[in-house]
Amino acid sequence: MPIAGDQSEAFLAHIMDAQRAMYTYVLTLVGDLVAADDVLQETNLVLWRKREEFTPGTDFLSWALSVAHFQVLAYRKRRTRDRLAFNDELIDRLAAEAPQHAAELSPRRVALVRCMAKLSPEDRLLIEQRYATSQAVGQIAEQVGRTVNAVYTALNRIRTNLMRCIEQTLAEEVE
Amino acid sequence: MTPAQLTQLDRRIGRMLDGSIEPAELAELQKTLLENPQARLRYHQYIGVHSLLHWEHAAPAQQPVQQPAPTPELATPTLQPTTPTLRRSPFRGRSRSVWYALAAAITIAVTAWFVFSNAPSQAPTPQPQPVALLTSTDSVVFADQTEAATPGSELAPGVLRLSAGTAQVMFQNGAVVDLIAPCAFELIDADHGALLDGTVYAFVPQRGRGFTISTDQFDVVDLGTEFGVSHQAGGDSQVHVFTGRVDVRLHDAIPARRLIAGQAVRIGNGSGIVGAVPLDPVRFGRMSEVVQRTDYAAASPSIRLRMAQQNPDLALLMSFDDRVDANDAESSLNIRAINAPVMSTDVSPKLGGGHSLQLASPAPGEAAQRLVVANDPRFAADTMTLSMWVKATPQQQVSQNTANMVFAHLISTIGPGAADSAGWALTQQQNTAGAYVRNDSSAAFNQCLAQTANLLNGQWHHLAIVWTADRITSYVDGTAVSDHQLLRGNGLDGGHNLVIGAQNEQGARCFNGLIDELAIYTVALDASSIADLARGVPPVSIRAASAVQSGQLDTSKEN
């Protein structure tokens, strides 16, 4: 049932604001893009169902990530061990570190926009094909007339360059 | 790590995300991440970049979607039922899936889902376009539905038939509609539904204005509001407006009738708007946003309640209908259950169903079952009305756990102190079977109000007490049985918690029987409102406005 409009709107704003961080957190732990989407979807639903339990004024992201953590564990239980990217020990370590990184996305997002502007047109197109239209790498390879491996390598190079650029941009801002 | 190692690490993470990593490489990646904190830092950074790219490119701009102006001439429902197609997120692509997931979880604002639903799809299918999303269900049973309907399912035009439970549907224009079984509701398009039979409640955000619910007799056109419609095929209908306003457009009459918040009307089959009816949030499930409790045994030791309630005259409302209701949107009430009183399905026939609170007489030496509500100054307001349904158990006398066995307390703010402590209580007296209201203070003690009211006949009775500045009036089953001058003494607020079922938190002088629909108003209700309550009108629907208009309360000012 809908709760009072104001409360729902406020809760909605919290969920919207937290999506990037929640996705990052989940992807960090599951290491699988499709699984991350599914777990995020389940987490959103659980958060909405539990909305009465959230106390306004408290740390929403922390609460949301704890819910996401349980959803990751539930996902791992469902999957056979051989289909999991990481073992429990690594998951525990990553889970302990991930909230901090997930919570620091905002400045990185601003830096990313600047760094994207520095990409060559070809690289920017590749990123857009991969992320904006969700095309499979094989599909992209066909379109650009390159091998699948070449596209993988190029995407990886671009992401690494963007990562370096973001770190550099953030470091310059601190100075 | 060396630059070469970092490059190798990046490549492995990238391949993992792209799904092209070999098992041996994955094992190497895991080993590196486990052993090397620097590698894990790099992993977090890489995932962060990927995540940001994913969101920056996948997420549409969150800008308000311009809605076309609502069509003034709204079509009547297409009463040719087809079963809506449920489509369970077949698309596995990341961009849509993420926003789809968000939309599935959110029942109020739907910009993201709307944008995606209107974005050109990669692979057009011949399936009808979805017009709504199933956003939540509660014990729902869909008739004629072979496919599992789970939250997140997209709904194409057609009829949803609920034989049990509730379901919530979010239309593409943002309107959220609760379907309360039994119900047949047709999804017509993105801003239009038809109620074929049953009860629905609609919440329409600003951007969904113009959303319309039709029946075969009339259309209800939203003007930014929350409203409920009940419709019996071939029978009467009702429209209740909780916030905002709606236009009710009868198919065979002009002009439209505008209803504003707080108004409710009954519409006859073929006879138009018959007249006003009391606003009834219970009918439309508006009371179910509170904590679900079927048994107070589970409510230990303390439960915090929050309730978005519509009646500002209410200081407390406990309906006991599978939940604890408290009329306190801001501060929450703190209610404790002691010795696990239970819920009973024995209710007054006039209430038509639900549950009551059952308080059993304890064995000698054992403490009573009772509920404790945190003290609230509104429980000792200058003007106040107490309303409750009571069924005292006749064969069992007043509790044995108290030495003097004078009164069984139905509800009390007296506290554990001396007899002259401030507070009030409604009691049932032993042997004489009367109802008393006791106002304790140094100057006013044990005011007897209705000694003649027989409560020990095994029947349900409605009791009401109205306090004004210096009068106190009691009602049994809607009829005034006493009217006395009120001696306030030191006042009614002794700072004690409100106890239901005993005199105080310690459980002394407990009540044995059933209590239901307990309400405390911070206003003095008039006789007609009390009569409405005694007829079974939900307390949440009763406001003081009629009392003020009638002037029947002015007697208190003349004394």
Side-chain angles (χ1 to χ4, degrees):
Chain A
M1 307 293 165
I3 52 178
D6 288 351
Q7 294 166 13
S8 291
E9 296 287 351
F11 195 85
L12 169 67
H14 280 311
I15 290 191
M16 301 274 279
D17 289 348
Q19 286 296 292
R20 286 175 177 78
M22 287 162 61
Y23 178 77
T24 305
Y25 178 85
V26 170
L27 182 60
T28 300
L29 299 187
V30 301
D32 179 309
L33 301 179
V34 173
D37 283 344
D38 288 346
V39 173
L40 178 64
Q41 174 170 346
E42 290 160 5
T43 304
N44 281 330
L45 286 167
V46 171
L47 288 173
W48 185 251
R49 290 191 192 118
K50 289 176 176 280
R51 61 193 184 277
E52 294 286 349
E53 295 176 19
F54 175 67
T55 307
T58 60
D59 186 348
F60 179 85
L61 183 58
S62 173
W63 179 63
L65 293 186
S66 67
V67 171
H69 186 69
F70 281 110
Q71 293 308 120
V72 168
L73 297 183
Y75 157 78
R76 287 175 62 81
K77 273 189 182 173
R78 293 197 301 267
R79 295 288 289 252
T80 53
R81 186 164 293 278
D82 63 326
R83 298 195 62 190
L84 292 173
F86 298 141
N87 62 21
D88 292 347
E89 186 184 1
L90 180 54
I91 289 292
D92 288 345
R93 289 198 191 175
L94 292 173
E97 298 161 349
Q100 183 191 342
H101 294 285
E104 291 172 352
L105 281 180
S106 289
R108 289 176 177 275
R109 184 184 169 197
V110 175
L112 174 70
V113 174
R114 289 190 207 166
C115 293
M116 281 290 292
K118 295 178 185 172
L119 289 181
S120 70
E122 295 79 18
D123 284 354
R124 199 176 308 133
L125 178 65
L126 204 55
I127 288 290
E128 283 170 2
Q129 282 176 304
R130 181 72 185 93
Y131 289 97
T133 64
S134 296
Q135 289 187 65
V137 172
Q139 217 176 343
I140 299 171
E142 258 181 44
Q143 286 179 8
V144 298
R146 299 167 73 176
T147 66
V148 171
N149 263 344
V151 173
Y152 275 133
T153 304
L155 280 171
N156 201 49
R157 171 183 53 78
I158 299 167
R159 286 192 292 233
T160 300
N161 286 344
L162 284 172
M163 185 169 57
R164 285 182 188 143
C165 174
I166 289 171
E167 297 306 321
Q168 198 175 343
T169 305
L170 292 175
E172 285 168 3
E173 283 178 0
V174 171
E175 288 164 9
Chain B
M1 295 180 80
T2 65
Q5 286 172 322
L6 286 175
T7 301
Q8 187 184 48
L9 177 64
D10 289 349
R11 193 173 63 244
R12 283 176 173 161
I13 300 169
R15 284 185 179 172
M16 183 187 73
L17 292 178
D18 290 325
S20 62
I21 194 167
E22 296 297 327
E25 257 191 325
L26 183 61
E28 281 296 319
L29 173 63
Q30 177 168 276
K31 186 167 179 288
T32 306
L33 292 176
L34 261 175
E35 292 172 351
N36 193 328
Q38 196 183 349
R40 285 202 300 280
L41 175 62
R42 184 78 164 192
Y43 176 78
H44 287 296
Q45 290 172 342
Y46 196 102
I47 293 285
V49 168
H50 173 86
S51 176
L52 287 172
L53 284 169
H54 173 63
W55 281 94
E56 287 311 305
H57 290 86
Q62 294 174 33
Q63 57 193 6
V65 179
Q66 292 299 315
Q67 285 288 98
T71 309
E73 299 298 327
L74 287 156
T76 52
T78 57
L79 299 172
Q80 299 165 348
T82 54
T83 303
T85 310
L86 298 175
R87 305 196 310 165
R88 290 208 59 217
S89 187
F91 185 84
R92 305 287 289 177
R94 284 161 296 284
S95 61
R96 174 172 173 144
S97 175
V98 169
W99 285 90
Y100 176 93
L102 178 59
I106 294 165
T107 60
I108 301 302
V110 289
T111 303
W113 180 67
F114 181 89
V115 169
F116 266 95
S117 296
N118 288 278
S121 64
Q122 294 169 30
T125 69
Q127 285 184 303
Q129 286 299 303
V131 297
L133 200 62
L134 185 66
T135 44
S136 75
T137 59
D138 185 5
S139 307
V140 73
V141 177
F142 287 103
D144 334 317
Q145 187 61 59
T146 52
E147 190 176 352
T150 55
S153 301
E154 291 180 334
L155 301 167
V159 177
L160 285 171
R161 297 182 190 278
L162 276 70
S163 54
T166 62
Q168 187 174 79
V169 168
M170 176 174 61
F171 278 77
Q172 222 175 80
N173 76 339
V176 177
V177 179
D178 290 340
L179 314 179
I180 302 162
C183 179
F185 185 78
E186 182 180 3
L187 307 168
I188 295 176
D189 57 35
D191 62 359
H192 192 186
L195 179 59
L196 308 180
D197 192 51
T199 301
V200 297
Y201 166 83
F203 170 86
V204 187
Q206 186 68 21
R207 61 176 287 263
R209 285 182 65 166
F211 175 74
T212 301
I213 290 180
S214 299
T215 72
D216 57 0
Q217 301 277 319
F218 59 90
D219 302 330
V220 182
V221 183
D222 172 84
L223 301 172
T225 190
E226 291 176 67
F227 65 93
V229 182
S230 67
H231 173 62
Q232 188 181 356
D236 284 358
S237 305
Q238 293 193 11
V239 178
H240 295 230
V241 182
F242 298 99
T243 61
R245 57 210 167 103
V246 303
D247 277 350
V248 177
R249 299 178 178 176
L250 298 169
H251 291 165
D252 55 0
I254 299 175
R257 165 81 175 270
R258 180 157 295 180
L259 300 179
I260 62 171
Q263 292 184 329
V265 294
R266 187 163 69 86
I267 301 168
N269 182 24
S271 52
I273 294 176
V274 178
V277 292
L279 192 70
D280 186 357
V282 177
R283 174 191 288 256
F284 298 101
R286 290 288 290 145
M287 303 282 289
S288 59
E289 278 304 321
V290 293
V291 178
Q292 297 276 324
R293 292 283 166 211
T294 54
D295 193 332
Y296 281 98
S300 64
S302 174
I303 48 177
R304 296 291 295 182
L305 301 174
R306 190 181 72 183
M307 179 167 174
Q309 195 42 267
Q310 309 81 28
N311 187 339
D313 293 342
L314 272 169
L316 176 74
L317 173 60
M318 302 179 81
S319 68
F320 307 112
D321 292 329
D322 293 342
R323 57 189 177 243
V324 178
D325 297 340
N327 189 266
D328 193 327
E330 297 300 322
S331 60
S332 298
L333 287 171
N334 192 315
I335 299 182
R336 277 186 300 135
I338 300 175
N339 286 353
V342 298
M343 311 299 279
S344 168
T345 54
D346 183 353
V347 298
S348 166
K350 293 184 177 174
L351 295 175
H355 292 83
S356 62
L357 177 70
Q358 183 173 355
L359 299 156
S361 181
E366 288 183 4
Q369 294 176 322
R370 57 210 185 270
L371 293 183
V372 179
V373 183
N375 179 48
D376 189 310
R378 292 176 301 170
F379 300 158
D382 288 342
T383 57
M384 196 162 64
T385 301
L386 168 68
S387 168
M388 65 197 297
W389 289 85
V390 174
K391 181 178 178 181
T393 308
Q395 68 272 27
Q396 292 175 293
Q397 295 300 303
V398 175
S399 167
Q400 300 295 311
N401 76 328
T402 178
N404 53 11
M405 293 175 53
V406 176
F407 300 112
H409 286 63
L410 283 70
I411 181 168
S412 167
T413 64
I414 298 293
D420 63 349
S421 63
W424 54 266
L426 178 58
T427 66
Q428 162 208 316
Q429 192 182 31
Q430 188 189 23
N431 301 327
T432 58
Y436 291 75
V437 165
R438 166 177 151 173
N439 292 275
D440 277 5
S441 74
S442 59
F445 181 74
N446 280 357
Q447 295 193 14
C448 172
L449 297 173
Q451 292 184 60
T452 56
N454 181 10
L455 294 182
L456 285 177
N457 60 358
Q459 302 297 312
W460 276 101
H461 294 283
H462 179 259
L463 303 182
I465 311 293
V466 180
W467 287 260
T468 60
D470 52 8
R471 304 295 294 179
I472 182 164
T473 309
S474 64
Y475 297 80
V476 175
D477 297 327
T479 303
V481 295
S482 73
D483 181 48
H484 291 261
Q485 185 179 10
L486 172 62
L487 300 177
R488 286 183 176 272
N490 292 331
L492 297 181
D493 188 0
H496 304 298
N497 290 336
L498 178 77
V499 179
I500 300 160
Q503 179 186 350
N504 51 42
E505 290 184 68
Q506 288 68 30
R509 297 166 181 164
C510 57
F511 172 68
N512 181 18
L514 301 162
I515 290 175
D516 203 1
E517 297 294 331
L518 171 61
I520 297 177
Y521 298 83
T522 56
V523 294
L525 296 180
D526 67 357
S528 69
S529 295
I530 301 295
D532 283 344
L533 288 166
R535 281 204 305 271
V537 174
V540 74
S541 305
I542 302 292
R543 297 291 310 273
S546 59
V548 173
Q549 287 165 5
S550 73
Q552 290 184 23
L553 299 178
D554 290 347
T555 52
S556 64
K557 295 172 185 170
E558 293 165 2
N559 293 324

